[in-house]
């Protein structure tokens, strides 16, 4: 069984540009999460999808961040326009209904210069 | 707000020595507790979890953790550290009804020869 995959693994963009991160959860996992770790800080929750619906987006920093999960499979997280403070590692995780065990992807390291 | 504290940012342990990584959480009810490990260039891997029952839980790679309700702690232990254990370790907490995880800031383990 394939694990959670994320693309790209690294992205370097300039302030003001747009970046789109992609996450493919484990097949059959309805629950999908985005987290972010800013350097030296804790991993922080951004939002939670159940299938294609946003269950909880309380961790989204501002309206420059847009997450989608069309069709309830893969998800994208777009940052537009990117700011320096958006730099960090963005993790995606997924799990089955009824399970609290989240499986994490390798993360996307975003650097905004 | 829920929080997780990992008081040690860095720990250096000699190979073959024992290890204990500390984790404290803030919440009144019994949480779901997790330890994740991130090796260089890798994603987050679940080491072990506590949901209920026996307060001493065994995980992969020879790790164990003990839930102590009176101390709101879930410390991670290993009797004999191997060089391959060098990584960053994250304690995380989830709560019934709140499926997102709250993470500590992580502890980076260095293993000396």
């Amino acid at each position: 069984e394939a694990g959670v995959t994320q693309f790209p693994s690294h992205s370097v963009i300039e302030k003001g540009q747009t970046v789109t991160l992609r996450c493919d959860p484990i097949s059959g996992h309805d629950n999908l999460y985005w987290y972010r770790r800013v350097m030296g800080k804790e991993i922080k929750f951004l939002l939670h999808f159940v299938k294609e619906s946003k269950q909880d987006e309380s961790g989204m920093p501002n309206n420059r961040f847009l997450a989608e999960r069309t069709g309830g499979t893969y998800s994208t997280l777009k940052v537009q326009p990117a700011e320096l403070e958006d730099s960090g590692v963005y993790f995606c995780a997924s799990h089955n209904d009824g399970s609290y065990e989240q499986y994490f992807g390798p993360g996307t390291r975003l650097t905004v210069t | 707000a829920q929080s997780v504290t990992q008081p040690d940012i860095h720990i250096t342990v000699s190979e073959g020595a024992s290890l204990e990584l500390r984790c404290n959480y803030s919440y009144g009810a019994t949480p779901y507790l997790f330890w994740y490990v991130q090796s260089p260039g890798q994603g987050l891997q679940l080491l072990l979890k506590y949901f209920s029952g026996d307060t001493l839980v065994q995980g992969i790679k020879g790790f164990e953790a003990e839930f102590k309700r009176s101390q709101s702690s879930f410390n991670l232990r290993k009797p004999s550290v191997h060089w391959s254990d060098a990584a960053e370790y994250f304690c995380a907490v989830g709560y019934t009804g709140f499926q997102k995880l709250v993470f500590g800031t992580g502890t980076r383990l260095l293993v000396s020869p």
Side-chain angles (χ1 to χ4, degrees):
Chain A
E1 178 182 90
V4 177
T5 57
Q6 293 186 243
F7 182 83
S9 57
H10 294 85
S11 180
V12 181
I13 61 172
E14 293 183 353
K15 176 182 173 181
Q17 290 185 321
T18 297
V19 63
T20 300
L21 313 181
R22 173 172 170 142
C23 168
D24 286 81
I26 292 173
S27 178
H29 283 191
D30 288 338
N31 293 271
L32 185 150
Y33 301 77
W34 284 98
Y35 293 85
R36 176 175 74 172
R37 188 185 192 200
V38 172
M39 186 180 293
K41 304 284 189 178
E42 70 273 28
I43 299 169
K44 279 194 171 180
F45 166 81
L46 295 179
L47 88 160
H48 171 206
F49 283 101
V50 177
K51 296 185 180 178
E52 66 274 11
S53 299
K54 293 176 185 174
Q55 182 79 8
D56 180 356
E57 52 184 329
S58 61
M60 294 288 265
N62 51 61
N63 59 10
R64 296 185 293 102
F65 289 75
L66 175 64
E68 295 181 321
R69 194 182 182 196
T70 306
T73 54
Y74 72 91
S75 174
T76 58
L77 180 65
K78 180 190 289 188
V79 185
Q80 178 182 31
E83 298 288 346
L84 298 179
E85 63 266 25
D86 301 332
S87 295
V89 180
Y90 290 76
F91 292 101
C92 177
S94 71
H95 72 82
N96 276 326
D97 275 343
S99 167
Y100 285 94
E101 184 173 334
Q102 297 185 19
Y103 295 86
F104 281 78
T108 293
R109 181 175 295 278
L110 174 65
T111 303
V112 183
T113 62
Chain B
Q2 300 95 348
S3 65
V4 177
T5 301
Q6 292 181 250
D8 303 306
I9 298 174
H10 294 97
I11 282 185
T12 300
V13 174
S14 299
E15 190 167 18
S18 64
L19 170 71
E20 181 169 27
L21 302 183
R22 294 180 290 167
C23 173
N24 292 88
Y25 64 91
S26 69
Y27 190 66
T30 301
Y32 301 102
L33 297 157
F34 306 85
W35 275 99
Y36 285 87
V37 61
Q38 185 178 26
S39 299
Q42 305 296 314
L44 292 167
Q45 181 183 21
L46 180 65
L47 280 177
L48 47 76
K49 59 186 182 286
Y50 172 79
F51 290 166
S52 64
D54 192 346
T55 56
L56 183 63
V57 294
Q58 303 296 320
I60 62 172
K61 305 184 180 186
F63 285 92
E64 66 177 28
E66 186 172 12
F67 169 57
K68 293 186 177 180
R69 183 191 305 275
S70 62
Q71 299 176 19
S72 296
S73 69
F74 189 57
N75 293 349
L76 182 71
R77 301 193 294 248
K78 186 169 185 178
S80 177
V81 169
H82 187 262
W83 63 266
S84 60
D85 294 324
E88 192 159 20
Y89 292 79
F90 295 92
C91 181
V93 177
Y95 304 93
T96 303
F98 296 88
Q99 293 178 298
K100 65 184 179 185
L101 295 179
V102 177
F103 283 86
T105 50
T107 297
R108 185 170 295 279
L109 173 66
L110 304 175
V111 180
S112 60

